[in-house]
Amino acid sequence: MSQAVSSNVVTDRDQNNMDNSQMDADGGMSETAGEPTTRTPALDQTMSSTRVPVDGKTSTEVTITPGMKLEVKLEDLFADEESDEEFPSSHNQDIMASSPPEASLSPVRVEVPSKFSDSDVMNQFYKRLFPWRYLFQWLNHSPTPTTDFGHREFAFTLQNDAYLRYQSFPTSDLLRKDVLRLMPSRFEIGPVYTTNPRDRKTLRKSSAFKPLAKELCFDIDLTDYDDIRTCCDKANICIKCWQFITMSIKVIDVALRDDFGFKHILWVYSGRRGAHAWVCDKKARQMDDQKRRAIAGYLEVVKGGAQGGKKVNVKRPLHPHVARSLEILKTHFQSDILQDQDPWETDAKYERLLELLPDRTLNDALRKKWSSSPGRASTAKWADIDALAKSGTSKNLDSKALLEAKQDILLEYTYPRLDIEVSKHLNHLLKSPFVVHPGTGRVCVPINPKKLREFDPLDVPTVTELLTDIDEWLPPAEDKSEGKPVADWEKTRLKPYIEHFRLFVATLMKDESDVKGKREREDAMEF
């Protein structure tokens, strides 16, 4: 018996016309004007639903906005397809002889010009390399299915830029099967709802459908540093400007652990120019929007856009979090900012520095000195501030005000610049770990916060490189596995990232199980 599948299909044009949301090129859904990036009930009411027969068997509900041109081929989206064994390897090809030819796991040679989001490439990646089991355990918090996974929203971005919201799946196998059928260029993860997201329109009261839980998330994007990074701009990155992300992870990670007591924090490379944090502790997942806003506000120090003006205005005496951050960041300021970025090399740039200093007489003296030495390095200019201050150039110099101004400058050039809207709302969607960035082909791999200096985003493998790894893999000469199948991801450069994720998930599930067992024992004792 065929089953109707309910989906919301939104074309790229209609998505861009939404007043309250826009697609973030690097992360997921981002908010504008402080509004959550979810389809509002009012917007849902402007849409009509129609049922479209597929192959004469399945009737599919598709939500269509007025004037919308539906570009999705429904026969492709919902064609029947058997689910394959999880984590298949080349070793067991012989037992899959009944699979259709296009599902064969024979080596696929991918040429350099291949589009990273090409359906054949993505089919091989999702089928052979994506860690479905660990993704399920991560979101489910248990090896057996629960509503933590079953009521979780997934959103798919299809190859033609159509956007499918409110997808949900009881098991990882069904999620995998749908991904292989739809072949999205990426998918995003939303909250756990009070009921199955697919059934939301069947409820008598729309207010009964609301988000219950989601990881507390943070998004750091290098484009927010374009006014201070000198090596790259826009979507371009290098190892020099990646240090802004390294600094940010250090500061945010220690604050979340030491100040709020969170333990399970997953850092993930966004695939191009940023990083995402998923705080997975149960107490974090269950926080309402007010608590999320409070934590986001606690961590927000740099405020304001690229228009200019003072971006850091912290109170004195310094909050312990800010004081600790200064200690973490001061060595990075010397090496990664003053030396590598050289932010005040030109006249126009050092004027920005002078704007942030409190004494006009000192500023005039510094300007005169720097004008007479074109190209003077930022390291030397930073040292000149103290040298001229101590020389008595300004008779009315307030040394305390100067020290505080220098601390604020250090924070402005090093402190994390967060996309704060991502953290404020329970119903925000964020790109899943291990999907492929369609622009770079790089996999969104976890980042080990204990090995930040070893992580280079330009060394993260692309999907085509991983498929080549499989083709070229040979068992080690001292292999003692005695014919034991080797999963395809273990043959590639993806292996250390999946192993890190597997360990993270195992630790999370153990803590969840321990807490549940403790609660059950306490309940039994009370009885």
Side-chain angles (χ1 to χ4, degrees):
M1 180 181 295
S2 61
Q3 182 179 0
V5 182
S6 178
S7 307
N8 276 346
V9 180
V10 183
T11 65
D12 190 45
R13 181 188 63 190
D14 293 305
Q15 185 72 22
N16 289 335
N17 288 338
M18 292 182 189
D19 292 328
N20 66 328
S21 65
Q22 64 182 21
M23 286 298 295
D24 172 13
D26 215 29
M29 292 294 291
S30 63
E31 294 84 6
T32 59
E35 292 295 324
T37 60
T38 56
R39 183 176 305 288
T40 62
L43 184 57
D44 273 339
Q45 291 169 7
T46 67
M47 303 176 117
S48 62
S49 296
T50 182
R51 302 193 72 82
V52 183
V54 180
D55 294 335
K57 298 183 293 184
T58 304
S59 181
T60 303
E61 181 181 320
V62 181
T63 305
I64 305 175
T65 55
M68 166 181 166
K69 293 182 179 179
L70 187 63
E71 300 177 355
V72 184
K73 295 182 179 180
L74 295 174
E75 64 271 20
D76 293 337
L77 299 192
F78 303 107
D80 291 334
E81 178 175 327
E82 292 299 322
S83 175
D84 297 289
E85 185 175 290
E86 188 170 28
F87 290 136
S89 68
S90 304
H91 178 85
N92 61 4
Q93 288 178 30
D94 55 330
I95 66 171
M96 302 183 64
S98 60
S99 300
E102 59 271 21
S104 172
L105 296 186
S106 58
V108 174
R109 296 289 179 182
V110 181
E111 301 300 329
V112 174
S114 268
K115 187 179 178 182
F116 292 123
S117 57
D118 177 82
S119 58
D120 290 336
V121 173
M122 296 309 299
N123 179 280
Q124 291 296 312
F125 174 76
Y126 284 133
K127 188 175 291 184
R128 306 175 72 175
L129 294 171
F130 194 90
W132 297 107
R133 179 183 303 141
Y134 305 131
L135 184 85
F136 167 78
Q137 292 174 349
W138 171 51
L139 297 175
N140 189 63
H141 315 110
S142 169
T144 56
T146 70
T147 54
D148 278 6
F149 189 84
H151 289 180
R152 173 82 69 159
E153 178 189 0
F154 293 87
F156 297 149
T157 301
L158 303 185
Q159 300 290 339
N160 62 355
D161 290 329
Y163 192 62
L164 273 65
R165 288 288 309 273
Y166 301 114
Q167 307 300 294
S168 60
F169 308 91
T171 66
S172 63
D173 186 62
L174 291 174
L175 168 62
R176 179 176 180 271
K177 182 176 180 179
D178 234 26
V179 167
L180 287 172
R181 180 165 60 227
L182 303 177
M183 212 53 62
S185 56
R186 71 179 188 185
F187 61 88
E188 293 159 346
I189 298 171
V192 179
Y193 282 92
T194 49
T195 189
N196 189 324
R198 291 185 186 268
D199 299 334
R200 70 197 181 285
K201 292 184 179 180
T202 66
L203 301 175
R204 291 185 177 181
K205 295 182 179 180
S206 59
S207 59
F209 179 70
K210 58 185 179 180
L212 286 179
K214 183 181 176 288
E215 295 74 14
L216 174 64
C217 295
F218 297 91
D219 181 13
I220 311 166
D221 194 307
L222 278 175
T223 52
D224 292 325
Y225 295 82
D226 278 356
D227 62 316
I228 58 174
R229 62 174 177 154
T230 60
C231 51
C232 307
D233 65 353
K234 299 180 181 177
N236 302 308
I237 68 165
C238 68
I239 192 60
K240 286 184 178 180
C241 56
W242 182 257
Q243 298 315 308
F244 286 111
I245 303 295
T246 297
M247 291 182 257
S248 297
I249 293 176
K250 284 185 177 181
V251 168
I252 300 300
D253 194 78
V254 71
L256 292 171
R257 295 180 192 278
D258 293 359
D259 300 348
F260 296 98
F262 297 129
K263 293 173 58 179
H264 305 287
I265 306 169
L266 180 69
W267 288 95
V268 181
Y269 173 47
S270 70
R272 173 173 276 171
R273 59 178 184 267
H276 303 150
W278 299 73
V279 186
C280 305
D281 301 58
K282 188 170 186 176
K283 64 180 180 179
R285 302 196 308 265
Q286 294 179 339
M287 289 191 304
D288 59 20
D289 283 357
Q290 183 179 1
K291 292 177 182 177
R292 290 168 191 263
R293 284 194 297 269
I295 292 180
Y298 177 91
L299 295 172
E300 188 179 29
V301 170
V302 180
K303 301 178 182 180
Q307 308 88 297
K310 199 169 187 291
K311 293 183 173 65
V312 174
N313 293 281
V314 291
K315 296 179 180 179
R316 265 65 182 192
L318 291 175
H319 187 280
H321 162 63
V322 178
R324 179 186 59 217
S325 299
L326 277 170
E327 285 299 309
I328 293 172
L329 295 169
K330 63 184 182 182
T331 55
H332 287 280
F333 182 71
Q334 289 292 332
S335 59
D336 298 323
I337 304 301
L338 297 183
Q339 294 178 21
D340 290 346
Q341 293 297 328
D342 197 5
W344 308 307
E345 178 186 8
T346 65
D347 292 0
K349 290 180 178 178
Y350 72 60
E351 282 296 333
R352 170 60 184 161
L353 172 60
L354 295 177
E355 288 175 8
L356 301 173
L357 297 176
D359 190 273
R360 181 175 297 179
T361 304
L362 176 62
N363 289 0
D364 291 341
L366 289 167
R367 185 179 291 108
K368 182 178 179 181
K369 181 178 180 66
W370 297 343
S371 297
S372 64
S373 303
R376 187 170 177 79
S378 296
T379 306
K381 288 174 180 171
W382 185 252
D384 290 340
I385 297 173
D386 282 342
L388 287 182
K390 291 176 182 177
S391 70
T393 299
S394 175
K395 304 300 182 184
N396 300 316
L397 178 65
D398 184 338
S399 58
K400 181 181 178 183
L402 179 61
L403 173 62
E404 291 178 355
K406 291 183 68 180
Q407 289 175 338
D408 289 352
I409 291 167
L410 189 153
L411 289 170
E412 179 171 326
Y413 281 79
T414 58
Y415 190 88
R417 299 187 174 195
L418 301 172
D419 182 351
I420 214 69
E421 296 302 320
V422 172
S423 310
K424 286 182 176 180
H425 302 291
L426 177 63
N427 57 3
H428 189 93
L429 293 128
L430 194 63
K431 184 167 54 179
S432 170
F434 290 103
V435 298
V436 175
H437 191 290
T440 65
R442 300 191 190 281
V443 180
C444 299
V445 296
I447 301 171
N448 188 340
K450 296 180 181 179
K451 299 179 179 180
L452 289 176
R453 280 295 184 180
E454 299 176 19
F455 184 85
D456 184 344
L458 303 181
D459 286 340
V460 172
T462 66
V463 60
T464 51
E465 289 172 344
L466 293 172
L467 294 177
T468 300
D469 285 351
I470 297 174
D471 295 343
E472 297 178 350
W473 181 83
L474 294 173
E478 65 279 5
D479 184 19
K480 298 179 181 179
S481 59
E482 298 180 356
K484 181 181 178 181
V486 178
D488 281 338
W489 61 264
E490 294 182 276
K491 305 171 184 176
T492 72
R493 282 164 280 181
L494 205 57
K495 181 179 180 180
Y497 301 109
I498 292 183
E499 288 180 338
H500 173 77
F501 186 54
R502 176 168 59 183
L503 179 61
F504 176 88
V505 171
T507 304
L508 174 63
M509 286 201 302
K510 182 179 184 302
D511 278 9
E512 296 267 340
S513 176
D514 289 347
V515 170
K516 182 179 178 182
K518 181 180 178 182
R519 190 185 309 115
E520 290 174 349
R521 289 192 297 271
E522 289 174 350
D523 291 344
M525 291 176 64
E526 290 177 5
F527 178 77

